[in-house]
Amino acid sequence: MTASDLLPLPVALPLLAAGLKLAIGQRLPRTQRFISAGVLCAVLAASLTLLVAADRNGPQVMHTGTWPASVGITLVADRLSGLMLVVSAAVTLCVLVYSIGQGMADSDEATPLSVFHPAYLILVAGVCDTFLAGDLFNLYVGFEIMLTSSYVLLTLGGTAARMRAGATYVVVSLLSSVLFLVAIGMVYAAAGTVNLALLAGRLAELPSGVRLLLQLALLTVFGIKAAVFPLAAWLPDSYPTAPAPVTAVFAGLLTKVGVYSILRVQTLLFPGGRLADPLMLVALLSMVVGILGAVAQTDLKRLLSFTLVSHIGYMVFGIALASRGGIAGAVFYVAHHITVQTTLFLVAGLVERRGGTTDLLRLGGLARISPLLAVVFFVPAMNLAGIPPLSGFLGKLGLLRAGVAAGTGWAYVLVAGGIVTSLLTLYALAKVWNLAFWRAAPLDLCADGTVLESDEEPAAAGENGASAVPLPAGHAHAASLSGRPITTTASPPAAMLLATCALVALGLSFTVLAGPLTGLADRAAVELLARAPYVTAVLGH
């Protein structure tokens, strides 16, 4: 067996497990959790094997059903897709452990929670399929698998807020899917194929105006999915209402699939940086508008959603440079951001569980009450802000150096914008630290609704020290999938803390292993810009 024989596994294993778990239904909840964890561990092992093989021996290719590349489905794992597979598999495994600890699956007979595990596994399969797709139509299929399951996950519990957010998300996703189909039809009509390796040669033979139209169509579709400005208005209203694990995996992975697609299309199909200036403008607006939106927020989840939009701009900046340093910086920053952004949304779930709300104006004293929670927020927050020597600083430094090396006016503007965005990110996250963790708690709400000063003790508490916190209408309080008012506890379940700490450690490993990772990102950039290794591996000549 060769490494290329493992290419279907990251897609097939989650789909097979999802079918098995749907057959099980609400029975055997422990078995369901064991199957999910075991499958994701297998996906992680297969992804690591594919990454090592792609780095040593070049892109790994499988033509399914022995059909030729021009008409069949081709799966390809090069250095870029292999790295994305490994990071996404590690992150989804940690989020699954977190969700099990939170009791998301089969915890409430009144809601269809038995669909969580199958929907989550289908989401993983869709994400892996997009990373491995060797043609535009299979890329579309991967997106649809991913989005269909995300509709279910986003509206679990059926609360009014989630249904409203889900409606917005569905409309935007369906619109982008229709545009994607139109773009695929245009590409096929112009070039006679949708295989990426074949398109790399055939698109160069088309008139420049046709190439530009096709490039704009694909960039618009992927820009919606990546949530770049001005196509990101849907994100801050859609993500914060979902349960913390769902929001975390959405923020960490779904937008990065769009960034991955932009990176793949720009380097393989439309080399030369023809739309570099418009992409730099989009990157600048995403960074600045996103971070200004974050600074204005007083809800933790919405603040993190705006920082997500802002930091997508860094990745688009690297892609727009179309240089070895810019592409390498974008690859490194995508991998870093998947881990850190997911961690912060999981921490937001812990804050909500412990403090009863994510409204920063009603939080306080969490550093004194839960020092571990303070640590698991502080480390990824400083990483996102780019404090030396963390990986966020290394990724931004690589992008800024590539911008200075480019030496163009737009590149210098983006360098300045990146520095300002990093400082404002630090300001926004410092505000969260000051309000939620450092200052004294302004209020303590007891189970009976009485209000105590922060230095008093509640008169009574529920079992195991828990007290139900009635929150005012309008606040995001989705600690359970049923959407009922939150119950705060002295300490979150161990599995939730363990999963969050594991992701914090994974984020720190990007700093400890910065040398090998930057080397891998650089080799991936060389491979992407050369194009020949990918095309030769797929077509065989």
Side-chain angles (χ1 to χ4, degrees):
M1 176 181 287
T2 62
S4 61
D5 295 328
L6 301 178
L7 281 167
L9 293 185
V11 181
L13 286 179
L15 290 178
L16 290 174
L20 176 61
K21 293 161 77 60
L22 284 173
I24 294 175
Q26 296 185 355
R27 303 182 300 275
L28 306 175
R30 290 185 178 179
T31 302
Q32 288 221 23
R33 295 163 187 167
F34 177 79
I35 292 173
S36 297
V39 164
L40 292 186
C41 287
V43 169
L44 177 59
S47 301
L48 282 167
T49 303
L50 288 171
L51 174 59
V52 172
D55 191 33
R56 291 179 177 176
N57 306 317
Q60 304 297 300
V61 180
M62 171 179 282
H63 301 288
T64 59
T66 68
W67 289 92
S70 58
V71 295
I73 296 175
T74 303
L75 301 178
V76 186
D78 58 359
R79 290 185 177 95
L80 172 62
S81 53
L83 177 61
M84 295 299 101
L85 281 173
V86 170
V87 176
S88 63
V91 165
T92 51
L93 178 59
C94 291
V95 173
L96 177 72
V97 174
Y98 182 102
S99 67
I100 291 174
Q102 189 171 323
M104 293 184 64
D106 305 310
S107 61
D108 190 342
E109 295 180 358
T111 55
L113 303 184
S114 60
V115 304
F116 170 75
H117 279 280
Y120 188 79
L121 289 175
I122 292 172
L123 177 75
V124 173
V127 170
C128 293
D129 191 34
T130 58
F131 291 145
L132 293 172
D135 62 85
L136 287 177
F137 189 76
N138 193 28
L139 182 64
Y140 168 80
V141 171
F143 271 117
E144 290 307 297
I145 294 173
M146 179 180 67
L147 292 174
T148 301
S149 59
S150 68
Y151 302 152
V152 177
L153 294 172
L154 191 65
T155 56
L156 278 177
T159 63
R162 291 179 190 172
M163 296 306 292
R164 284 194 299 269
T168 301
Y169 182 79
V170 168
V171 169
V172 172
S173 298
L174 289 177
L175 175 61
S176 66
S177 297
V178 171
L179 293 176
F180 198 1
L181 273 180
V182 171
I184 291 173
M186 293 166 58
V187 170
Y188 187 79
T193 184
V194 292
N195 182 272
L196 294 176
L198 287 170
L199 286 173
R202 294 188 185 182
L203 289 179
E205 302 170 357
L206 298 176
S208 60
V210 176
R211 288 202 309 272
L212 179 61
L213 177 62
L214 298 179
Q215 186 177 8
L216 287 172
L218 291 173
L219 285 178
T220 300
V221 171
F222 299 143
I224 295 174
K225 298 183 183 298
V228 300
F229 186 86
L231 305 175
W234 57 271
L235 190 148
D237 292 326
S238 298
Y239 283 8
T241 60
V246 175
T247 304
V249 78
F250 279 21
L253 283 178
L254 299 198
T255 53
K256 307 310 181 302
V257 171
V259 174
Y260 166 85
S261 300
I262 295 174
L263 182 56
R264 179 69 70 188
V265 165
Q266 283 296 104
T267 55
L268 184 60
L269 303 187
F270 305 103
R274 183 175 182 182
L275 293 179
D277 289 349
L279 282 175
M280 287 191 183
L281 176 60
V282 167
L284 178 65
L285 292 175
S286 297
M287 285 192 288
V288 175
V289 175
I291 200 58
L292 290 178
V295 169
Q297 300 305 310
T298 58
D299 181 86
L300 178 56
K301 287 185 177 181
R302 286 186 62 83
L303 185 150
L304 293 176
S305 297
F306 276 100
T307 63
L308 170 60
V309 174
S310 176
H311 285 249
I312 294 294
Y314 284 101
M315 307 167 206
V316 178
F317 173 35
I319 297 172
L321 289 173
S323 64
R324 177 175 173 176
I327 298 298
V331 171
F332 182 89
Y333 203 81
V334 169
H336 145 82
H337 196 260
I338 289 174
T339 305
V340 172
Q341 195 76 46
T342 303
T343 306
L344 286 172
F345 272 101
L346 292 186
V347 173
L350 296 176
V351 168
E352 190 175 40
R353 185 179 182 89
R354 184 64 187 89
T357 181
T358 54
D359 186 348
L360 298 176
L361 300 180
R362 302 184 70 240
L363 290 169
L366 291 178
R368 176 180 60 84
I369 298 170
S370 180
L372 179 58
L373 180 57
V375 171
V376 296
F377 170 80
F378 184 81
V379 173
M382 294 301 99
N383 204 345
L384 184 67
I387 300 299
L390 299 173
S391 58
F393 169 77
L394 299 176
K396 291 174 183 175
L397 180 62
L399 290 169
L400 297 181
R401 290 179 61 185
V404 171
T408 65
W410 269 114
Y412 284 126
V413 170
L414 264 294
V415 169
I419 294 172
V420 171
T421 299
S422 186
L423 293 174
L424 289 176
T425 302
L426 178 60
Y427 169 78
L429 295 173
K431 181 178 74 172
V432 174
W433 174 262
N434 181 56
L435 293 178
F437 291 91
W438 192 249
R439 68 169 180 171
L443 299 173
D444 279 333
L445 300 180
C446 294
D448 60 1
T450 60
V451 178
L452 300 174
E453 297 300 326
S454 60
D455 56 351
E456 297 181 38
E457 293 293 331
E463 185 179 354
N464 297 325
S467 59
V469 179
L471 299 178
H475 283 282
H477 52 283
S480 67
L481 287 184
S482 62
R484 289 193 292 268
I486 198 167
T487 299
T488 60
T489 60
S491 179
M496 295 174 68
L497 287 171
L498 178 63
T500 308
C501 291
L503 276 180
V504 171
L506 180 61
L508 289 175
S509 71
F510 279 56
T511 302
V512 177
L513 302 175
L517 286 173
T518 53
L520 176 61
D522 185 68
R523 293 192 296 275
V526 171
E527 186 177 60
L528 289 169
L529 293 173
R531 302 200 302 160
Y534 186 98
V535 174
T536 302
V538 173
L539 302 181
H541 59 80

